[in-house]
PDB file of all heavy atoms in Angstrom:
ATOM      1  N   CYS A  68       0.908 -13.305 -37.989  1.00  0.00           N
ATOM      2  CA  CYS A  68       1.349 -13.978 -36.761  1.00  0.00           C
ATOM      3  C   CYS A  68       2.267 -15.155 -37.069  1.00  0.00           C
ATOM      4  O   CYS A  68       3.121 -15.490 -36.263  1.00  0.00           O
ATOM      5  CB  CYS A  68       0.155 -14.526 -35.986  1.00  0.00           C
ATOM      6  SG  CYS A  68      -0.834 -13.282 -35.161  1.00  0.00           S
ATOM      7  N   HIS A  72       6.762 -15.555 -40.784  1.00  0.00           N
ATOM      8  CA  HIS A  72       7.986 -15.871 -40.039  1.00  0.00           C
ATOM      9  C   HIS A  72       8.608 -17.178 -40.520  1.00  0.00           C
ATOM     10  O   HIS A  72       9.700 -17.529 -40.105  1.00  0.00           O
ATOM     11  CB  HIS A  72       7.677 -16.011 -38.543  1.00  0.00           C
ATOM     12  CG  HIS A  72       7.014 -14.805 -37.947  1.00  0.00           C
ATOM     13  ND1 HIS A  72       7.504 -13.531 -38.104  1.00  0.00           N
ATOM     14  CD2 HIS A  72       5.892 -14.682 -37.193  1.00  0.00           C
ATOM     15  CE1 HIS A  72       6.700 -12.675 -37.479  1.00  0.00           C
ATOM     16  NE2 HIS A  72       5.721 -13.344 -36.919  1.00  0.00           N
ATOM     17  N   GLY A  77      11.320 -20.074 -39.138  1.00  0.00           N
ATOM     18  CA  GLY A  77      10.373 -21.184 -38.993  1.00  0.00           C
ATOM     19  C   GLY A  77      10.683 -22.092 -37.818  1.00  0.00           C
ATOM     20  O   GLY A  77       9.788 -22.648 -37.197  1.00  0.00           O
ATOM     21  N   LYS A  79      12.179 -21.122 -35.063  1.00  0.00           N
ATOM     22  CA  LYS A  79      12.151 -20.400 -33.784  1.00  0.00           C
ATOM     23  C   LYS A  79      10.918 -20.843 -32.979  1.00  0.00           C
ATOM     24  O   LYS A  79       9.856 -21.117 -33.548  1.00  0.00           O
ATOM     25  CB  LYS A  79      12.094 -18.886 -34.035  1.00  0.00           C
ATOM     26  CG  LYS A  79      12.109 -18.090 -32.755  1.00  0.00           C
ATOM     27  CD  LYS A  79      12.273 -16.599 -32.965  1.00  0.00           C
ATOM     28  CE  LYS A  79      12.169 -15.900 -31.608  1.00  0.00           C
ATOM     29  NZ  LYS A  79      12.328 -14.460 -31.675  1.00  0.00           N
ATOM     30  N   SER A  97       7.434 -24.608 -32.466  1.00  0.00           N
ATOM     31  CA  SER A  97       8.092 -23.668 -33.381  1.00  0.00           C
ATOM     32  C   SER A  97       7.031 -22.982 -34.246  1.00  0.00           C
ATOM     33  O   SER A  97       5.873 -23.424 -34.306  1.00  0.00           O
ATOM     34  CB  SER A  97       9.078 -24.414 -34.277  1.00  0.00           C
ATOM     35  OG  SER A  97       8.346 -25.237 -35.169  1.00  0.00           O
ATOM     36  N   TYR A  98       7.452 -21.951 -34.947  1.00  0.00           N
ATOM     37  CA  TYR A  98       6.523 -21.281 -35.866  1.00  0.00           C
ATOM     38  C   TYR A  98       6.025 -22.253 -36.930  1.00  0.00           C
ATOM     39  O   TYR A  98       4.858 -22.221 -37.312  1.00  0.00           O
ATOM     40  CB  TYR A  98       7.165 -20.022 -36.467  1.00  0.00           C
ATOM     41  CG  TYR A  98       6.984 -18.843 -35.530  1.00  0.00           C
ATOM     42  CD1 TYR A  98       7.927 -18.535 -34.547  1.00  0.00           C
ATOM     43  CD2 TYR A  98       5.827 -18.067 -35.583  1.00  0.00           C
ATOM     44  CE1 TYR A  98       7.730 -17.488 -33.659  1.00  0.00           C
ATOM     45  CE2 TYR A  98       5.626 -17.010 -34.701  1.00  0.00           C
ATOM     46  CZ  TYR A  98       6.575 -16.726 -33.741  1.00  0.00           C
ATOM     47  OH  TYR A  98       6.358 -15.692 -32.865  1.00  0.00           O
ATOM     48  N   LYS A  99       6.923 -23.148 -37.370  1.00  0.00           N
ATOM     49  CA  LYS A  99       6.505 -24.156 -38.361  1.00  0.00           C
ATOM     50  C   LYS A  99       5.442 -25.081 -37.772  1.00  0.00           C
ATOM     51  O   LYS A  99       4.426 -25.360 -38.405  1.00  0.00           O
ATOM     52  CB  LYS A  99       7.719 -25.012 -38.759  1.00  0.00           C
ATOM     53  CG  LYS A  99       8.414 -24.548 -40.000  1.00  0.00           C
ATOM     54  CD  LYS A  99       9.452 -25.615 -40.382  1.00  0.00           C
ATOM     55  CE  LYS A  99      10.542 -24.993 -41.227  1.00  0.00           C
ATOM     56  NZ  LYS A  99      11.826 -25.684 -41.079  1.00  0.00           N
ATOM     57  N   ASP A 100       5.708 -25.564 -36.543  1.00  0.00           N
ATOM     58  CA  ASP A 100       4.716 -26.434 -35.893  1.00  0.00           C
ATOM     59  C   ASP A 100       3.386 -25.709 -35.718  1.00  0.00           C
ATOM     60  O   ASP A 100       2.316 -26.270 -35.929  1.00  0.00           O
ATOM     61  CB  ASP A 100       5.155 -26.844 -34.467  1.00  0.00           C
ATOM     62  CG  ASP A 100       6.441 -27.646 -34.471  1.00  0.00           C
ATOM     63  OD1 ASP A 100       6.735 -28.279 -35.488  1.00  0.00           O
ATOM     64  OD2 ASP A 100       7.147 -27.617 -33.426  1.00  0.00           O
ATOM     65  N   LEU A 101       3.505 -24.465 -35.307  1.00  0.00           N
ATOM     66  CA  LEU A 101       2.289 -23.696 -35.044  1.00  0.00           C
ATOM     67  C   LEU A 101       1.467 -23.562 -36.328  1.00  0.00           C
ATOM     68  O   LEU A 101       0.240 -23.678 -36.322  1.00  0.00           O
ATOM     69  CB  LEU A 101       2.648 -22.313 -34.480  1.00  0.00           C
ATOM     70  CG  LEU A 101       1.466 -21.430 -34.084  1.00  0.00           C
ATOM     71  CD1 LEU A 101       0.659 -22.059 -32.953  1.00  0.00           C
ATOM     72  CD2 LEU A 101       1.941 -20.025 -33.660  1.00  0.00           C
ATOM     73  N   HIS A 102       2.178 -23.316 -37.418  1.00  0.00           N
ATOM     74  CA  HIS A 102       1.510 -23.193 -38.720  1.00  0.00           C
ATOM     75  C   HIS A 102       0.713 -24.462 -39.021  1.00  0.00           C
ATOM     76  O   HIS A 102      -0.472 -24.394 -39.360  1.00  0.00           O
ATOM     77  CB  HIS A 102       2.569 -22.932 -39.801  1.00  0.00           C
ATOM     78  CG  HIS A 102       1.977 -22.705 -41.153  1.00  0.00           C
ATOM     79  ND1 HIS A 102       1.962 -23.676 -42.127  1.00  0.00           N
ATOM     80  CD2 HIS A 102       1.342 -21.623 -41.685  1.00  0.00           C
ATOM     81  CE1 HIS A 102       1.359 -23.198 -43.205  1.00  0.00           C
ATOM     82  NE2 HIS A 102       0.967 -21.956 -42.967  1.00  0.00           N
ATOM     83  N   GLY A 310       7.067 -12.044 -33.999  1.00  0.00           N
ATOM     84  CA  GLY A 310       7.955 -13.209 -34.152  1.00  0.00           C
ATOM     85  C   GLY A 310       8.637 -13.608 -32.859  1.00  0.00           C
ATOM     86  O   GLY A 310       9.738 -14.139 -32.855  1.00  0.00           O
ATOM     87  N   ALA A 311       7.976 -13.348 -31.740  1.00  0.00           N
ATOM     88  CA  ALA A 311       8.591 -13.586 -30.429  1.00  0.00           C
ATOM     89  C   ALA A 311       8.329 -15.012 -29.933  1.00  0.00           C
ATOM     90  O   ALA A 311       7.544 -15.756 -30.508  1.00  0.00           O
ATOM     91  CB  ALA A 311       8.017 -12.589 -29.424  1.00  0.00           C
TER      92      ALA A 311
END
Side-chain angles (χ1 to χ4, degrees):
C68 287
H72 304 309
K79 182 171 176 179
S97 69
Y98 275 90
K99 265 189 203 152
D100 298 335
L101 183 63
H102 184 258

